Amino acid sequence: MSDAAQAGTPRMNMIQAINSAMDVMMERDPNMVVMGEDVGYFGGVFRATAGLQAKYGKTRAFDTPITEIGIIGVAIGMGAYGLRPVPEIQFADYIYPALDQLVSEAARLRYRSNGDFTSPITVRSPYGGGIFGGQTHSQSPEGIFTHVSGIKTVIPSTPYDAKGLLIAAIEDNDPVLFLEPKRIYNGPFDGHYDRPARNWTAHPASEVPAGHYRVELGKAATVREGEAVTILCYGTMVHVVASTVEEMGVDAEIIDLRTLVPLDIDAIEASVKKTGRCMIVHEATRTSGFGAELAALVQERCFYHLEAPIERVTGFDTPYPHSLEWAYFPGPVRIGEALKKILKD
Amino acid sequence: MDAPRANLPPLSLHVPEPKFRPGDEADFSDVDVPPAGSARRPDTADKADSFHELAYTLIRVLDDAGQAVGPWNPRLDADALRKMLRSMALTRAFDERMFRAQRQGKTSFYMKSTGEEAVSVAATMAMASDDMCFPSYRQQGILLTRGYPLVDMMNQIYSNSADPLQGRQLPIMYSSKDYGFFSISGNLTTQYPQAVGWAMASAAKGDTRIAATWCGDGSTAEGDFHSAMIFATVYKAPVILNVVNNQWAISSFSGFAGAEATTFAARAIGYGIAGLRVDGNDALAVYAATQWAAERARTNQGPTLIEHFTYRTEGHSTSDDPTAYRSAGEPTAWPLGDPIRRLKDHLVAIGEWDEERQAAMDRECAEEVKRAQKEAEKNGILGHGMHQPFETMFEGVFEDIPWHLKEQQQQMIAERKAAGI
């Protein structure tokens, strides 16, 4: 047990950490509101907003009609008034009706009005697969939003980061898409779906201070230092990659990006120049995925340091297949094969 | 394709078609125009389901003799009427001048509101000056009524060095928080749920300000409209939802938004929202309906949907030629007349105005616009060099410029330098 835990730092899973971030911010900022489908009295289908309505009242934590256009459009209007809305989209798979409000409105408002109006909203949404959610509860749409100018995209991989990043996102005066990897809400996942699930208790990053702290946006974390290959990943994949690397005994450097836009390019560049190899792992579909942008950036900046082609391990370019989830998921087998390939020369 | 089943009558698909096309004589005698003063005026505290008939009639105040009649007569004093008339005349003069500026190549785009001036001017006068407006692109009358500087509107239209929006937005997509005018999007009806959200925030904060928003008949088909309606009714948002039914969405007549089947005001009924259908060319009716809806909103009675039945006298924009798809006779055949003319006739009828004063006012408005244009053109016109510095393109995407935008900014500067431009 670490010093912090001995000193009474609470242990939290990712849901509790996210809930704590909103609680802390609602306490500090009377303008912060949470809203979304089932988020009020019930506290959200994943319980992320549990207790907030009881504590802060119905005008600050409320249920909404089932219209993502409305949820985001109303949040933008509230933001224009001067509130700090944190709307929830129940599953990232449901975000598409709100695309126009996010892409053409929230992301463009500061620019088009020359700062007259801004959209300081943080859109929370559970994303990603590994829960047998089928094609409508498993998608990873981050690449759609990283392609849009004017919106930040943040993805945590631990309870500690989730709280600190969410607080930083809420305090940010620009719109932030905060994607929560729902497969690791309750515990880190090593990619072996057939092994018993673990909870967060044994993980050091489940020590989450009760009060206010920030994990700055735009800063990656080096999860594991190594010399053989740099692996760029985020969300659930951080844990799958870490576990696979340990099992294979590869001296990989694992970078958890944490924020996709703005990206911590310095951390990426330094690591790839050191290891000379770069592998990218994400759950999202491959073509035009965020991995393509990462590969382009790495070759632009580190081309003469590369000793092997950049390797991508991603979801396939198919809809998320329900019964074949574990063949689709970039798990230990697929990551392992890619590692062998990139390390062979 | 499989052969149709022989024992059933064949289905047929209905594709709406406007009554008149180019070459046809426009005849609106079948448009039902109820007499001025015939619509009842419910108490603002009445339940929305107790006056459904107001969604199907036309609330009208000005009769054919220029008198203000009936329960909706707002009984404005002559000074207020003259201010209303002047704001409408100024809007028309501004439109004329800026349309011509576009034709002269001084800017890329313009949109006139000719024939629809009452919808924005009278509504604005019926609200408090700090109520928040979420307009679409044809409510320049709001800014002009609230006294926003003409020069700044023109600077925006010219995207010149003094453009308050730094040349980032298409002409006429104004934004002014100080004047309670939300940044115009250009994407249709996105402002509707935003207005509802603003109104909800105002209510949640115990503020006294209300919101109003405008969209066209065509854009009521957008999902945003319906999302806004459900949010507005669920939370009784203090918001006025205006549908400017000017009959045409570019070349698509209102039938493509459902007008063959019912009115736009009737959209309110299914949501349990108060719905009013108003003669949009009757400035006093627009004023009265807005005042009624504002009082309702301010007393926590919730939202009102107002359909303004009007006519888009000119093209959709400078990029549009309406003679290609509608009868050239429609604007003059329109049975509800011209809103400026009708208010002027009223002022004359009550002995508060005459032709000489009207002519003097028109000259004054034209002069005011001309002076402002001269002033604005000192800051440049579109495409003539007096724009914002190139590197400002990268500012304001985010509060702080992230590394990747700085890098792209540097790259652009270096490329231009290397190319000697």
Side-chain angles (χ1 to χ4, degrees):
Chain A
M1 192 179 271
S2 74
D3 294 345
Q6 283 164 352
T9 305
R11 292 271 174 186
M12 294 187 197
N13 64 28
M14 198 184 277
I15 286 286
Q16 291 163 331
I18 286 164
N19 181 270
S20 174
M22 288 187 277
D23 186 10
V24 165
M25 287 308 295
M26 289 180 87
E27 184 83 48
R28 289 165 70 102
D29 182 357
N31 288 323
M32 187 188 141
V33 295
V34 300
M35 56 191 285
E37 296 155 15
D38 304 301
V39 310
Y41 183 87
F42 178 54
V45 293
F46 289 102
R47 321 298 302 142
T49 55
L52 297 178
Q53 185 177 82
K55 192 166 173 187
Y56 299 104
K58 289 203 290 184
T59 59
R60 294 189 61 199
F62 55 90
D63 295 317
T64 63
I66 304 172
T67 158
E68 288 76 16
I69 303 177
I71 292 168
I72 302 302
V74 160
I76 292 167
M78 290 181 153
Y81 178 90
L83 301 190
R84 200 161 279 267
V86 182
E88 174 182 301
I89 299 296
Q90 198 166 77
F91 286 86
D93 314 66
Y94 305 165
I95 206 166
Y96 307 118
L99 266 189
D100 193 35
Q101 287 288 349
L102 284 166
V103 173
S104 311
E105 301 296 314
R108 305 280 157 79
L109 189 53
R110 177 190 294 280
Y111 193 77
R112 80 175 194 222
S113 71
N114 196 20
D116 203 19
F117 295 95
T118 58
S119 199
I121 67 173
T122 299
V123 181
R124 291 182 40 249
S125 193
Y127 90 105
I131 62 153
F132 275 113
Q135 60 184 269
T136 53
H137 304 81
S138 305
Q139 294 169 60
S140 299
E142 67 272 16
I144 292 172
F145 295 95
T146 58
H147 192 60
V148 173
S149 57
I151 192 163
K152 297 180 180 178
T153 302
V154 176
I155 300 179
S157 71
T158 68
Y160 180 90
D161 281 358
K163 179 171 175 181
L165 286 167
L166 183 52
I167 287 173
I170 293 168
E171 289 179 341
D172 196 281
N173 290 326
D174 288 307
V176 178
L177 178 64
F178 190 85
L179 291 172
E180 301 167 0
K182 58 182 171 297
R183 183 61 180 81
I184 57 171
Y185 266 157
N186 293 311
F189 177 54
D190 60 11
H192 292 283
Y193 61 93
D194 45 358
R195 292 180 188 168
R198 284 179 296 148
N199 61 31
W200 278 106
T201 316
H203 196 287
S206 69
E207 286 172 10
V208 178
H212 176 277
Y213 70 95
R214 294 166 57 101
V215 172
E216 293 306 320
L217 306 186
K219 294 275 177 247
T222 304
V223 174
R224 183 191 190 285
E225 290 187 6
E227 301 293 330
V229 56
T230 297
I231 306 179
L232 306 178
C233 50
Y234 46 89
T236 302
M237 288 302 123
V238 172
H239 303 280
V240 179
V241 164
S243 159
T244 307
V245 161
E246 291 309 321
E247 284 168 16
M248 293 177 68
V250 174
D251 186 25
E253 181 143 304
I254 304 172
I255 310 264
D256 174 3
L257 298 177
R258 299 199 290 197
T259 304
L260 306 191
V261 175
L263 186 67
D264 189 348
I265 190 66
D266 294 339
I268 295 169
E269 194 174 334
S271 177
V272 175
K273 282 182 175 168
K274 181 177 79 173
T275 64
R277 293 170 208 267
C278 179
M279 191 167 124
I280 298 155
V281 185
H282 63 57
E283 288 182 70
T285 46
R286 187 180 189 84
T287 302
S288 301
F290 194 67
E293 177 62 30
L294 290 171
L297 285 166
V298 167
Q299 74 83 22
E300 280 167 10
R301 283 149 203 272
C302 311
F303 183 78
Y304 296 106
H305 293 81
L306 288 176
E307 291 165 30
I310 298 165
E311 199 60 42
R312 279 186 292 166
V313 184
T314 70
F316 297 118
D317 288 343
T318 68
Y320 211 98
H322 181 240
S323 67
L324 304 175
E325 174 158 71
W326 297 115
Y328 178 96
F329 192 86
V333 171
R334 297 186 54 208
I335 294 168
E337 288 306 306
L339 271 174
K340 283 183 215 159
K341 188 175 163 198
I342 199 170
L343 292 171
K344 79 170 184 280
D345 295 318
Chain B
M1 217 184 290
D2 294 336
R5 288 164 63 183
N7 59 345
L8 290 172
L11 295 167
S12 65
L13 178 69
H14 172 69
V15 179
E17 181 63 25
K19 281 178 287 185
F20 318 111
R21 286 297 193 187
D24 296 340
E25 193 185 331
D27 175 6
F28 289 114
S29 54
D30 65 327
V31 173
D32 190 23
V33 181
S38 60
R40 81 180 165 108
R41 184 182 188 277
D43 192 272
T44 52
D46 285 358
K47 282 176 72 76
D49 64 3
S50 66
F51 45 84
H52 284 173
E53 83 276 11
L54 294 178
Y56 297 100
T57 182
L58 276 179
I59 294 169
R60 307 179 71 227
V61 172
L62 292 171
D63 68 13
D64 294 342
Q67 295 297 332
V69 297
W72 287 93
N73 179 4
R75 301 182 188 283
L76 294 174
D77 64 34
D79 284 342
L81 292 172
R82 282 188 288 260
K83 181 187 178 335
M84 193 182 274
L85 183 69
R86 193 183 192 284
S87 293
M88 289 165 67
L90 184 64
T91 304
R92 188 164 295 183
F94 186 89
D95 280 350
E96 289 301 329
R97 195 90 199 163
M98 289 297 98
F99 183 88
R100 211 169 342 141
Q102 192 276 342
R103 289 293 188 248
Q104 291 165 341
K106 293 176 177 176
T107 188
S108 55
F109 183 77
Y110 192 73
M111 302 182 95
K112 298 170 93 169
S113 61
T114 313
E116 301 174 36
E117 293 90 346
V119 172
S120 50
V121 170
T124 305
M125 284 186 67
M127 291 187 294
S129 59
D130 57 355
D131 287 336
M132 186 69 191
C133 299
F134 288 77
S136 82
Y137 43 67
R138 219 182 294 279
Q139 281 81 48
Q140 50 266 56
I142 297 169
L143 283 174
L144 290 161
T145 304
R146 285 187 169 171
Y148 185 80
L150 273 61
V151 180
D152 285 336
M153 291 174 78
M154 292 170 174
N155 287 333
Q156 197 279 329
I157 289 166
Y158 289 143
S159 284
N160 63 22
S161 60
D163 176 3
L165 306 185
Q166 285 206 310
R168 290 176 183 163
Q169 256 292 32
L170 193 68
I172 69 102
M173 306 286 175
Y174 315 107
S175 172
S176 176
K177 197 175 194 173
D178 289 346
Y179 286 78
F181 191 95
F182 189 73
S183 159
I184 297 174
S185 169
N187 281 26
L188 298 178
T189 330
T190 51
Q191 71 276 12
Y192 246 63
Q194 294 162 3
V196 173
W198 195 99
M200 286 171 65
S202 186
K205 281 295 190 182
D207 200 337
T208 59
R209 293 174 296 164
I210 62 170
T213 185
W214 287 258
C215 77
D217 46 290
S219 51
T220 60
E222 292 281 8
D224 301 64
F225 176 84
H226 299 277
S227 295
M229 292 290 278
I230 193 68
F231 264 84
T233 190
V234 165
Y235 304 96
K236 287 194 170 188
V239 63
I240 305 172
L241 304 156
N242 295 286
V243 175
V244 185
N245 176 9
N246 68 8
Q247 315 301 321
W248 290 94
I250 306 185
S251 75
S252 304
F253 85 116
S254 57
F256 283 97
E260 286 181 335
T262 187
T263 69
F264 293 99
R267 297 274 185 272
I269 292 171
Y271 291 100
I273 289 176
L276 306 178
R277 191 160 178 267
V278 174
D279 175 351
N281 290 14
D282 178 342
L284 298 188
V286 171
Y287 183 97
T290 307
Q291 188 185 44
W292 183 90
E295 190 181 318
R296 211 172 153 83
R298 246 183 270 282
T299 52
N300 289 309
Q301 307 294 317
T304 302
L305 178 75
I306 304 177
E307 174 186 349
H308 302 269
F309 193 67
T310 181
Y311 186 82
R312 196 193 76 207
T313 307
E314 309 239 1
H316 167 72
S317 71
T318 47
S319 308
D320 180 37
D321 172 15
T323 64
Y325 52 78
R326 71 183 188 187
S327 163
E330 279 199 18
T332 43
W334 184 246
L336 296 175
D338 177 74
I340 295 181
R341 176 77 195 231
R342 284 174 67 191
L343 187 60
K344 183 202 102 179
D345 288 350
H346 172 58
L347 271 160
V348 172
I350 60 173
E352 292 287 349
W353 200 244
D354 54 46
E355 292 297 338
E356 288 72 40
R357 291 168 82 179
Q358 176 76 17
M361 183 192 71
D362 283 342
R363 273 197 308 276
E364 211 181 280
C365 287
E367 279 307 311
E368 188 181 338
V369 171
K370 211 166 141 184
R371 271 198 311 276
Q373 188 185 22
K374 248 186 190 161
E375 199 59 33
E377 288 181 6
K378 286 182 192 161
N379 306 312
I381 56 175
L382 183 67
H384 284 256
M386 288 173 75
H387 48 69
Q388 307 291 329
F390 290 105
E391 59 271 24
T392 63
M393 188 197 310
F394 301 91
E395 296 166 1
V397 180
F398 297 101
E399 186 171 34
D400 301 311
I401 308 182
W403 69 267
H404 63 284
L405 285 174
K406 276 187 199 149
E407 198 174 86
Q408 290 166 30
Q409 187 182 42
Q410 290 310 313
Q411 187 185 352
M412 183 200 69
I413 292 167
E415 282 167 357
R416 294 182 66 84
K417 201 172 160 191
I421 50 172

